[in-house]
Amino acid sequence: MQYISTRGQAPAIGFNDALLAGLASDGGLYVPKTMPHWSAEEFAACFSQPFHMVAAKVLNSFTGGDIPQEVIAQICLNAQNRFAHAATTPLVQIAPDEFVLELFHGPTLAFKDVAMQIIGQLMAHVLQQRGRRASVIAATSGDTGSAAIEAFAGLPNVDVFILYPHNRVSDVQRRQMTTNPHANVRTLAVDGTFDDCQAIVKILFNNHTFRDEVGLTGVNSINWARIMSQVVYYITAGVALGAPARSISYIVPTGNFGDIYAGFVAKQMGLPIDQLVVATNQNDILARCLATGDYTPTVVVPTSSPSMDIQISSNFERLLFAAYDGDATPVRTAMHNLAQSGSFTVAPEALAYMRRFMQAYAASEAEVSTKIRETLAQCGTLIDPHTAVGLVAADKTGALTSPRVTLATAHPAKFPDAVERATGVRPSLPQRLGNLFEREERFEVLPGDYNAVRDYVLARAAR
């Protein structure tokens, strides 16, 4: 299995190298040179199998033998055992042909746990085999950071540096990052937005001297291992609802575009997906782009769904690469234009390609609050604001010919203030996190400046 860059100017590499590199040397994102394709029989064979077995099949399809199958099987079983629900990612029906896929039963109560529990073990295995040490640096809008910390804390061959936007995440999200006691974890509250944090991380990755000196690797959704691990729950949900005999549509609360891109990969593998619906909050750049072809970021607006307060969605580059039929030249041009002039335009034929299977809708704060309240009244279920964004978008799709699955990306207790404002009910943290607000916090506040972050990491990362 070979991996190539979406910008076409980095050499093709194997899975293990792509795993540790994260970002390609030309600034692009790695994608498989050839996407694996499953038969209808292979999908059907996943019916009623436990999550870890389906996960192992998916990972084996993308690792190309770089990691032994027995190692992958054990990694997937270990990851599943960190989840509080026996089904790992259970489906809940809320109306006829309307389902919610609960992705929040992991250790940090967010969908990022599904992939992060796998990627942490994959990296630890490869680093040990190579006798290497790595520095994990990640930008987070709230959930990636805590999931990464939970996956990498205490590992002997990894230093972890998490950048999050200061005062722009929920109290629960912040404390999940800042209360971890392990010495190899450092959390950095950066003055600015998530996009500022993400921009700093990208510059760090493109500083090749720095990158080599600290053994830099990334676990944001720029890392292909995150994407392939998230493909798993599209498949388990799909076969539970009748795939491959019938199509399924997925509604995905979307910020950095990685989660919905994983759905696109599942579709490319042969899972019969009818529509992928992009659900955004008021930071609606993806909805605007799919409507007009114009990708112009605006000012990030703080909302009750902070993990989606993003205007530069990194994984959209991967979809562009597919929409341009694997031609890196227009992708490279688009990313250059975004960096230089702050915008780019999707060509009509590429936009038409996306629109064949993708819709996008934005949800206002008022619509999100109403949906949280209605879901409790109609279904007896508390949902978080990100899931509410998805259900608002599901309503806007109108009638579809296939069952609709909305991804519930976070537990409501991660955003108790927003849920309480909408319903009058304050959700409680699960018992395993019940003492979160009693733990001591550790974090540093840094300016939104590349040099400040680089110097901080250089002073603390083991060589």
Side-chain angles (χ1 to χ4, degrees):
M1 175 67 72
Q2 290 272 287
Y3 286 82
I4 58 175
S5 169
T6 52
R7 301 190 190 179
Q9 296 182 323
I13 59 178
F15 172 79
N16 284 355
D17 289 325
L19 170 71
L20 295 184
L23 195 69
S25 59
D26 60 359
L29 306 185
Y30 283 115
V31 293
K33 187 174 183 179
T34 303
M35 193 70 72
H37 191 274
W38 286 13
S39 67
E41 290 74 22
E42 286 176 294
F43 283 110
C46 295
F47 180 74
S48 78
Q49 283 194 334
F51 189 90
H52 71 92
M53 291 183 65
V54 180
K57 289 180 180 179
V58 172
L59 267 60
N60 284 324
S61 294
F62 286 103
T63 54
D66 274 17
I67 299 177
Q69 290 190 13
E70 62 272 18
V71 172
I72 288 178
Q74 188 62 54
I75 284 173
C76 293
L77 178 59
N78 293 344
Q80 177 179 294
N81 287 340
R82 295 299 309 279
F83 282 71
H85 197 289
T88 309
T89 58
L91 272 172
V92 176
Q93 187 165 13
I94 59 173
D97 272 346
E98 190 91 25
F99 299 84
V100 166
L101 181 60
E102 293 185 347
L103 303 176
F104 51 71
H105 293 284
T108 72
L109 312 182
F111 81 98
K112 307 290 178 71
D113 287 322
V114 177
M116 209 65 77
Q117 286 297 315
I118 290 173
I119 194 174
Q121 295 180 77
L122 288 174
M123 278 194 178
H125 170 79
V126 175
L127 288 170
Q128 182 181 33
Q129 293 296 110
R130 296 185 175 188
R132 285 182 53 187
R133 187 177 183 88
S135 295
V136 169
I137 300 182
T140 182
S141 53
D143 289 333
T144 292
S146 56
I149 289 168
E150 188 68 27
F152 287 92
L155 292 183
N157 50 6
V158 179
D159 290 305
V160 182
F161 300 88
I162 301 298
L163 284 64
Y164 70 92
H166 190 34
N167 294 326
R168 286 175 179 257
V169 300
S170 76
D171 288 345
V172 173
Q173 287 177 310
R174 187 192 74 251
R175 284 181 167 275
Q176 284 184 316
M177 292 186 283
T178 61
T179 59
N180 191 285
H182 287 89
N184 71 323
V185 172
R186 294 175 176 86
T187 49
L188 308 179
V190 174
D191 284 328
T193 67
F194 167 77
D195 288 339
D196 296 325
C197 296
Q198 184 166 252
I200 291 170
V201 169
K202 286 185 176 181
I203 297 171
L204 290 172
F205 269 91
N206 285 317
N207 181 337
H208 296 285
T209 301
F210 170 86
R211 186 170 172 173
D212 293 342
E213 185 173 356
V214 302
L216 184 60
T217 189
V219 293
N220 280 74
S221 54
I222 59 172
N223 195 309
W224 178 261
R226 281 275 305 277
I227 302 297
M228 72 175 189
S229 301
Q230 291 169 184
V231 169
V232 180
Y233 47 72
Y234 283 92
I235 294 175
T236 58
V239 298
L241 294 176
R246 66 173 178 173
S247 298
I248 315 295
S249 290
Y250 294 88
I251 297 89
V252 188
T254 305
N256 214 23
F257 208 77
D259 205 7
I260 195 163
Y261 179 78
F264 171 74
V265 172
K267 181 177 176 65
Q268 293 290 94
M269 290 176 65
L271 187 69
I273 294 178
D274 180 10
Q275 290 289 301
L276 288 165
V277 179
V278 178
T280 76
N281 60 21
Q282 291 180 193
N283 297 287
D284 62 348
I285 186 168
L286 294 168
R288 288 186 282 113
C289 182
L290 285 169
T292 66
D294 175 58
Y295 192 100
T296 303
T298 57
V299 176
V300 174
V301 178
T303 72
S304 60
S305 48
S307 298
M308 299 163 63
D309 291 347
I310 297 171
Q311 288 284 342
I312 300 176
S313 302
S314 292
N315 281 283
F316 194 63
E317 180 173 338
R318 284 184 164 119
L319 182 63
L320 280 177
F321 185 73
Y324 285 117
D325 199 24
D327 183 356
T329 301
V331 177
R332 201 161 55 243
T333 299
M335 295 302 105
H336 174 79
N337 291 342
L338 181 63
Q340 296 299 312
S341 60
S343 68
F344 64 84
T345 301
V346 181
E349 64 274 15
L351 189 61
Y353 171 87
M354 297 177 191
R355 287 172 172 171
R356 285 202 293 271
F357 57 85
M358 192 166 282
Q359 306 174 36
Y361 302 96
S364 69
E365 285 292 89
E367 288 175 317
V368 168
S369 184
T370 298
K371 179 55 67 175
I372 294 173
R373 185 166 55 254
E374 287 179 350
T375 305
L376 178 61
Q378 296 170 4
C379 306
T381 301
L382 278 177
I383 59 171
D384 89 294
H386 302 77
T387 305
V389 169
L391 291 176
V392 170
D395 290 342
K396 294 181 179 182
T397 62
L400 293 176
T401 58
S402 54
R404 297 190 300 196
V405 176
T406 297
L407 274 56
T409 55
H411 193 286
K414 295 200 79 167
F415 307 93
D417 294 340
V419 174
E420 186 176 25
R421 283 196 301 270
T423 64
V425 178
R426 190 169 185 83
S428 299
L429 284 168
Q431 188 173 1
R432 64 187 186 278
L433 288 175
N435 68 342
L436 183 64
F437 282 82
E438 300 168 13
R439 303 175 192 170
E440 181 182 356
E441 292 191 79
R442 293 186 305 118
F443 64 96
E444 301 275 353
V445 180
L446 293 183
D449 175 74
Y450 158 74
N451 291 317
V453 176
R454 180 202 60 198
D455 293 346
Y456 182 93
V457 174
L458 281 173
R460 291 161 180 81
R463 304 298 192 269

